Amino acid sequence: MWKKSVRILNVTDREFKKQNDQLALETKVEVVLNQKKIMDLIAMPALVKEMAIGYLVSMGYIDEQNDDLETCKLSLGTVEVCTKAKAMEVTKTEDADLRVTNIDVIRLLAKFNEKSILYMDTGIAHRAAIATKKEILFFAEDINRLSAIDKVAGLCFLEQKKQIEALILISSGKITSEVVAKAGVLKLKIIVSRTGVTAQAAALAQEKDITLVGFARKKRFNIYTGEKRIVKG
């Protein structure tokens, strides 16, 4: 649904051949919070409202503890979000003793890859998920790795998943300091990526006490920070 079939010319060292290919769609989304424009986002036209909310939450525009979502409307490429202050502050509980096994991570990655249908069709979609150590709760794909993360953050916020066994962010894209900052705001304690991490991301993860896992592929991965949360299974 979020892709377009086109005819292309495929070229090899031996031949030129016409064939069908699948291209992902993209659109510009204007994000407005309490009647003030915040940002234009470029993303796939799927889970657009969830992406806008996830962006606002992960960037700190919406305080998960003190703000209630009043309305969220999508019209002509604009998502208008309105919030109101909560009647009383709610404190989000965190599991300071969160532990997962290496086998948990490997099994989650297998489930993550099974869900990556658009990526398999187009070859360019990034994927993101929020999971417990046993199952994937929310999954999204997008042409933009940050928008994919914003989408699962928005899904999580709307479902009000505040007190679950563990929250793990899984991403197909590289982990930069911006991703770690988002995870910090969302109170996620473990980030797992199929690709690499930057030095700034590792430094920020160390500062925020976030476990950072990179190059998670098949049955191996690297732990850059917070190794205390990954134990042998």
Side-chain angles (χ1 to χ4, degrees):
M1 186 176 181
W2 312 118
K3 58 188 179 181
K4 179 180 180 180
S5 181
V6 297
R7 291 288 289 174
I8 66 166
L9 182 62
N10 179 261
V11 180
T12 70
D13 60 341
R14 295 185 177 183
E15 63 178 345
F16 285 53
K17 181 175 64 175
K18 286 281 188 178
Q19 65 183 46
N20 292 327
D21 198 6
Q22 301 292 324
L23 302 183
L25 301 177
E26 66 175 275
T27 188
K28 183 173 78 169
V29 180
E30 180 184 50
V31 181
V32 176
L33 175 63
N34 297 328
Q35 301 183 330
K36 179 181 178 181
K37 179 177 177 178
I38 302 298
M39 176 67 76
D40 286 330
L41 301 175
I42 302 297
M44 287 174 47
L47 298 174
V48 173
K49 291 194 292 186
E50 291 82 355
M51 176 188 68
I53 291 170
Y55 175 83
L56 293 170
V57 172
S58 66
M59 296 301 291
Y61 289 103
I62 294 178
D63 186 331
E64 191 174 1
Q65 293 187 14
N66 300 315
D67 294 330
D68 269 332
L69 181 65
E70 196 166 28
T71 60
C72 180
K73 300 177 181 178
L74 171 63
S75 177
L76 300 176
T78 298
V79 178
E80 296 189 52
V81 179
C82 291
T83 61
K84 63 180 179 180
K86 288 184 177 179
M88 62 182 294
E89 182 176 327
V90 178
T91 301
K92 181 175 179 178
T93 61
E94 297 180 27
D95 185 357
D97 296 322
L98 170 61
R99 297 288 186 274
V100 302
T101 71
N102 57 323
I103 303 303
D104 291 332
V105 174
I106 290 167
R107 287 175 177 168
L108 280 176
L109 257 295
K111 294 177 181 179
F112 181 77
N113 291 333
E114 288 173 2
K115 289 178 174 290
S116 304
I117 297 173
L118 187 64
Y119 171 75
M120 289 186 281
D121 286 344
T122 66
I124 69 166
H126 280 289
R127 295 90 73 206
I130 288 180
T132 68
K133 57 182 161 183
K134 297 300 182 184
E135 65 176 332
I136 291 177
L137 300 178
F138 307 105
F139 178 87
E141 293 184 280
D142 199 273
I143 55 173
N144 185 314
R145 65 190 172 88
L146 296 177
S147 292
I149 293 171
D150 289 336
K151 286 178 179 181
V152 291
L155 287 166
C156 189
F157 179 85
L158 290 172
E159 290 291 328
Q160 297 184 334
K161 293 288 185 180
K162 299 177 185 296
Q163 297 182 25
I164 61 178
E165 180 184 21
L167 282 176
I168 301 168
L169 174 63
I170 307 173
S171 174
S172 64
K174 62 184 178 293
I175 302 301
T176 62
S177 57
E178 186 173 8
V179 174
V180 176
K182 283 177 176 287
V185 173
L186 297 168
K187 309 300 183 188
L188 299 170
K189 285 300 183 182
I190 299 178
I191 304 173
V192 178
S193 172
R194 293 191 73 254
T195 56
V197 309
T198 67
Q200 287 79 5
L204 186 59
Q206 188 73 40
E207 177 185 324
K208 292 184 174 292
D209 189 26
I210 292 174
T211 297
L212 194 54
V213 173
F215 294 109
R217 301 172 186 176
K218 295 184 179 179
K219 296 183 178 182
R220 64 177 180 83
F221 54 84
N222 298 333
I223 304 174
Y224 295 89
T225 61
E227 58 186 63
K228 64 185 179 183
R229 294 192 181 89
I230 311 290
V231 297
K232 188 175 181 179

